[in-house]
Amino acid sequence: NAGVTQTPKFQVLKTGQSMTLQCAQDMNHNSMYWYRQDPGMGLRLIYYSASEGTTDKGEVPNGYNVSRLNKREFSLRLESAAPSQTSVYFCASSATGTSTGELFFGEGSRLTVL
Amino acid sequence: LAKTTQPISMDSYEGQEVNITCSHNNIATNDYITWYQQFPSQGPRFIIQGYKTKVTNEVASLFIPADRKSSTLSLPRVSLSDTAVYYCLDTNAGKSTFGDGTTLTVKP
């Protein structure tokens, strides 16, 4: 049982380049999330998808777009990468998206923008 | 999304009980209180969750007073492998806001 799988695990971009981070979960969860974590800090919510077909902004959505491709997959796109987007990105999923929803995280994608 | 307040760091020794307290000054009626653990280079992992009073599982206990403005995570008899960052969150509809966490260092 793989849980939450993120690709790629590492990526280096130049300023202005674009890329997509992929996330897939095999737990049949309804809700999926993208967080970023800067060094020494907590996680900040970028976007989330409460259910298939819906997406909503989190705390720090600027510079990002998301797509909930199907129930399993939730992608995060950087259209024009900036050095300020250098971070570790975590995808997570939860069963119900309700107040009691436990978050299951992937291993993270480490992005460096030069 | 409410953000919690917790100590930046704590030190302990193996075998001791560790209590980490969190302030939930802006918690909403429908929010649950959730704690996560994060090791370096890994995603956070769920530890425990509660709404009111006391919750206990195989890993930890969570104490929540009646006014729900604070919570205390209790880790019994910590070991070196408990060295990690611990986050307390107000959780509503899965939209959890992470603070900066408490770095717990367990010494031999």
Side-chain angles (χ1 to χ4, degrees), chain A residues 39-94:
Chain A
M41 299 181 66
L43 284 75
R44 291 183 290 171
L45 182 63
I46 305 171
Y47 271 95
Y48 67 99
S49 171
S51 61
E52 186 178 355
T54 68
T55 60
D56 285 289
K57 296 178 180 179
E59 301 172 78
V60 288
N62 292 343
Y64 305 95
N65 286 300
V66 291
S67 295
R68 182 75 182 267
L69 305 172
N70 48 55
K71 191 171 185 179
R72 290 187 65 249
E73 298 172 289
F74 189 38
S75 63
L76 177 71
R77 182 162 179 83
L78 288 70
E79 291 290 353
S80 179
S84 60
Q85 294 179 302
T86 293
S87 190
V88 180
Y89 291 84
F90 289 99
C91 177
S93 69
S94 67

Side-chain angles (χ1 to χ4, degrees), chain A residues 94-111:
Chain A
S94 67
T96 60
T98 66
S99 300
T100 58
E102 173 185 344
L103 293 169
F104 292 83
F105 285 85
E107 293 184 354
S109 297
R110 286 151 183 79
L111 174 65

Side-chain angles (χ1 to χ4, degrees), chain B residues 1 6 8 15 19 22 30-31 37 43 50 62 64-67 71 82 85-86 92 96 98 103 107:
Chain B
L1 299 175
Q6 53 186 125
I8 294 174
N19 296 309
C22 176
N30 294 331
D31 288 348
Q37 175 191 56
L62 177 60
I64 303 171
D67 66 3
S71 67
D82 292 316
V85 179
Y86 293 81
N92 189 324
S96 301
F98 285 77
T103 299
K107 302 175 182 178

